[in-house]
Amino acid sequence: MTADASPAFEPHQLDEEEFLREVHSFSFWFEAVEGYLEGRPYGADPELADEPLDGDDRDRLITTLCNYCVGEVTALDASSGLVRLAPNHHSRIFLATQVADEARHVEVFLRRLDDLGVLDGEAEVRARANPRLEEFRRRVLEMVDRGDWEAAVFAQNVLLESMEDTVFRFHASIADPVTRQVLEGVIADERRHLGFGENDLGRRLARDPAGRERLATIRAELDPLVLGSFDGVYRDLGLSRADQPSLGRDYLAAVERLGLTT
Amino acid sequence: MAETDFLSQYSIQRWLEMCPQGYLDDTTYGHESGLTEPEDLLANDDLREASIALTVQLIAGERAALAASSGLVNAAPDHASKAFLATQTLDEARHVEIFTRRLIDLGVKEEDVDSTVNDLANPNLVKFAEVLLEKVGNGDFIAGVVGQNIVLEGMAFSVFELLQATSKDLNPKFAQTLAGTIADERRHVGFGENRIGSLIREHPERKADIERMQAEMSYHMLATFTDVFRGSGPTMDRERQAAAAEGRDLGSAEWHGTDVMAASTDDIEALLAGTVINEFKTRLGRIGIEYQDPKVPA
């Protein structure tokens, strides 16, 4: 596979059409993921020693990973549903790469659950799913089902990806080595997905500034579910109130920085 | 092989190792870097236009496969099936990408790709896709996978094999592009056969509806073959006559016991249709579905 995804290559210097053709291609996707997945089957170096976890730590990590699976299955179902709604060839190809990424994320988290001794990962995910995340999932899939491209891309590629990026980064900073490496590969993918949402919606809003109001309304409906799910993250990661980071504030700031709703 | 063992062969990790890190390694748009469409094809308007028309049918088929495989992810009953369909979604997107690239290599401007596909896509192929996408749109996983992974992919597999046989010597770039897609289609057909067999056994009441869908899709497929061969026949005949007059040897290419470089278009059409239908019979039989001869749809 050959495409220029090397660190020195700067796709943003290309004109718009060339940029879209370059970054929304199978080759570009593969060159990008190959950089951080090579030698890491199921997201982690097989030689990396796994730290034994005590009962409580193990149980909390299982709940955390189960909820990561809820988020990733949401992204998988939503991105696959968005393929048919894509307005052009480049977006369709990009979303197909995202479908494979999201399926890989579910796969690596289920594999990690397997490492932790969970016998039926899918059943465990259903049993431990955070209700707020499930409600978020329901709302996003409704947007996809009614064919609302802008709302669904915003909810999935901006809000959900920002939430995951915030949580995964924090978790990677305190996780055991294997979980950290798995998370690093996922975070690298999420940045690409967030970039697509930001780019696509940014172009649309430049043509239709009134669209910001609609996105702000969607955000007002979904933010409470995202922020509520962070409480579950704190609990699942076993953090005392004093140790709790400001994930909610970080998430809100990350979405704000994109300038899509203001 | 137990079902869980079988499904583990279709994981994302396995796909990464087999496909992008395997047979697609060191390729650009599915072929070695630097290969181009043959100059005599690009210089001959008749041949170039016939190649554009053919490539459009491939794009139309792959677009349908992309819509179907992505549309089935949400309907899949377990993660392993979702994971496989996610890999298939990306495979089909890659096929759309490489055949679209071929259209551009054949001289179609990028901004004209969609209108060219809309203008030249065979109406029967469009109907073939509509029958399948109706099942997918209804979230019908069993019918969707049979229609997509047995009927559509089974047809694509044989068509690609035939095209590869005729391109091997004359157009190595196209032949290499096809080789990667054939490898993908083989995997897709394998999943369809293995995953759906157990679901059909659990839901025998679905057989009649699926057989109706297969008959309808088969009708449109055969009608597409007739249209395409009727359209390309005169060009093929003229090219053969010109080659004979100039003393050029077009070579030979054996496919299922026939030299398709020498056979008439009628014979090639009959060979292709017979091969695809035999494959359908075999593959459908493996999942407990009886092949139905196509009837004119109501």
Side-chain angles (χ1 to χ4, degrees):
Chain A
M1 311 285 301
T2 51
D4 201 346
S6 59
F9 173 64
E10 181 42 79
H12 291 90
Q13 289 172 354
L14 300 171
D15 74 31
E16 184 174 325
E17 268 306 303
E18 269 185 289
F19 168 80
L20 292 175
R21 186 168 58 236
E22 180 69 33
V23 303
H24 296 167
S25 69
F26 180 85
S27 300
F28 190 84
W29 169 81
F30 182 67
E31 288 295 313
V33 301
E34 184 70 340
Y36 51 85
L37 294 184
E38 175 99 69
R40 292 185 176 187
Y42 297 99
D45 179 351
E47 301 297 314
L48 195 60
D50 206 355
E51 284 178 2
L53 296 170
D54 72 27
D56 283 350
D57 285 346
R58 175 183 164 278
D59 192 64
R60 281 196 292 264
L61 180 56
I62 288 171
T63 304
T64 301
L65 294 170
C66 283
N67 280 294
Y68 291 172
C69 284
V70 176
E72 297 297 346
V73 172
T74 300
L76 170 57
D77 286 343
S79 55
S80 59
L82 278 169
V83 171
R84 78 183 157 88
L85 303 179
N88 54 52
H89 172 67
H90 301 306
S91 302
R92 211 169 291 126
I93 301 289
F94 177 82
L95 281 164
T97 67
Q98 184 171 348
V99 169
D101 288 335
E102 307 297 3
R104 189 186 74 79
H105 301 169
V106 182
E107 183 168 291
V108 296
F109 289 138
L110 285 174
R111 172 55 70 109
R112 190 74 189 117
L113 286 172
D114 192 54
D115 292 343
L116 294 168
V118 173
L119 295 177
D120 184 345
E122 289 181 63
E124 206 65 39
V125 170
R126 284 192 293 275
R128 297 188 188 222
N130 181 319
R132 288 191 178 92
L133 269 181
E134 289 196 308
E135 178 59 18
F136 185 95
R137 167 185 167 78
R138 195 182 63 74
R139 302 262 189 106
V140 175
L141 295 183
E142 264 176 16
M143 293 170 187
V144 176
D145 286 346
R146 66 170 184 262
D148 190 341
W149 167 265
E150 282 183 18
V153 168
F154 180 64
Q156 159 166 301
N157 282 56
V158 175
L159 300 185
L160 179 58
E161 299 287 347
S162 294
M163 169 171 65
E164 291 182 338
D165 189 60
T166 305
V167 172
F168 293 168
R169 275 172 193 283
F170 169 71
H171 188 186
S173 71
I174 60 167
D176 64 87
V178 174
T179 304
R180 183 184 310 136
Q181 210 167 69
V182 169
L183 286 167
E184 284 167 356
V186 174
I187 290 166
D189 290 339
E190 307 294 11
R191 290 184 58 161
R192 211 167 42 250
H193 306 161
L194 188 56
F196 172 80
E198 184 186 355
N199 195 286
D200 180 85
L201 293 172
R203 285 167 201 274
R204 284 164 184 274
L205 293 178
R207 294 192 298 268
D208 172 28
R212 286 176 198 281
E213 253 180 71
R214 197 164 88 86
L215 296 187
T217 305
I218 293 166
R219 187 181 161 189
E221 287 170 11
L222 295 179
D223 270 353
L225 296 172
V226 174
L227 297 172
S229 70
F230 285 145
D231 291 339
V233 172
Y234 296 140
R235 188 182 61 242
D236 300 339
L237 293 177
L239 300 175
S240 67
R241 185 157 288 280
D243 292 336
Q244 288 178 4
S246 52
L247 292 187
R249 202 167 57 218
D250 292 349
Y251 158 79
L252 292 171
V255 176
E256 207 65 34
R257 259 198 312 276
L258 299 177
L260 297 171
T261 55
T262 52
Chain B
M1 188 187 285
E3 186 158 293
T4 47
D5 293 338
F6 142 70
L7 285 171
S8 71
Q9 295 302 306
Y10 292 94
S11 67
I12 301 282
Q13 181 58 39
R14 181 95 180 97
W15 173 83
L16 279 168
E17 290 163 4
M18 278 175 64
C19 178
Q21 294 170 343
Y23 53 81
L24 294 180
D25 200 22
D26 284 332
T27 62
T28 301
Y29 294 109
H31 57 79
E32 273 171 47
S33 275
L35 286 181
T36 57
E37 293 293 323
E39 277 181 24
D40 52 351
L41 189 163
L42 295 175
N44 180 330
D45 281 348
D46 233 17
L47 269 185
R48 195 177 62 84
E49 281 168 22
S51 298
I52 288 172
L54 172 70
T55 305
V56 162
Q57 311 317 319
L58 304 185
I59 294 171
E62 295 297 348
R63 283 184 177 184
L66 172 57
S69 53
S70 59
L72 285 169
V73 171
N74 204 356
D78 50 69
H79 174 68
S81 300
K82 277 182 192 282
F84 167 76
L85 285 163
T87 64
Q88 184 170 353
T89 296
L90 191 43
D91 288 334
E92 307 299 0
R94 188 182 77 80
H95 301 170
V96 173
E97 182 174 285
I98 57 181
F99 292 135
T100 300
R101 171 55 50 178
R102 180 172 196 237
L103 212 52
I104 293 165
D105 292 346
L106 289 167
V108 175
K109 288 183 185 154
E110 188 151 358
E111 60 268 29
D112 295 336
V113 164
D114 280 341
S115 59
T116 304
V117 173
N118 291 339
D119 291 346
L120 299 180
N122 184 279
N124 275 298
L125 186 56
V126 173
K127 285 183 188 146
F128 172 93
E130 284 170 357
V131 175
L132 168 63
L133 293 176
E134 186 188 335
K135 299 290 184 194
V136 173
N138 292 336
D140 186 339
F141 182 74
I142 302 177
V145 173
V146 174
Q148 149 96 357
N149 287 52
I150 308 255
V151 181
L152 171 54
E153 299 287 284
M155 170 183 78
F157 184 78
S158 295
V159 168
F160 291 163
E161 273 196 338
L162 170 62
L163 291 173
Q164 195 203 20
T166 57
S167 305
K168 209 171 273 175
D169 297 329
L170 297 175
N171 189 342
K173 168 184 175 266
F174 189 38
Q176 284 184 15
T177 304
L178 289 163
T181 61
I182 290 168
D184 291 341
E185 307 298 7
R186 188 174 288 124
R187 202 168 53 248
H188 303 164
V189 172
F191 172 84
E193 276 184 31
N194 285 291
R195 182 68 187 100
I196 290 301
S198 60
L199 289 175
I200 295 281
R201 281 192 294 280
E202 287 167 32
H203 300 281
E205 75 281 3
R206 299 300 323 281
K207 280 187 189 182
D209 182 44
I210 290 169
E211 286 171 354
R212 266 195 302 278
M213 174 193 71
Q214 170 263 303
E216 204 178 337
M217 289 179 78
S218 299
Y219 168 82
H220 292 305
M221 175 191 78
L222 294 173
T224 304
F225 289 169
T226 301
D227 290 345
V228 168
F229 280 99
R230 196 177 290 152
S232 62
T235 306
M236 201 188 292
D237 291 341
R238 277 197 297 278
E239 175 58 14
R240 283 176 178 174
Q241 285 161 9
E246 293 162 15
R248 275 188 289 130
D249 181 11
L250 293 176
S252 63
E254 191 173 303
W255 190 67
H256 289 271
T258 298
D259 179 2
V260 287
M261 300 306 283
S264 70
T265 49
D266 284 352
D267 286 345
I268 302 173
E269 181 192 341
L271 175 66
L272 176 62
T275 303
V276 175
I277 286 170
N278 280 337
E279 288 287 316
F280 282 177
K281 286 178 180 169
T282 305
R283 294 181 190 284
L284 290 167
R286 286 183 192 143
I287 61 168
I289 297 280
E290 194 174 333
Y291 172 79
Q292 302 296 308
D293 283 323
K295 298 176 183 65
V296 177

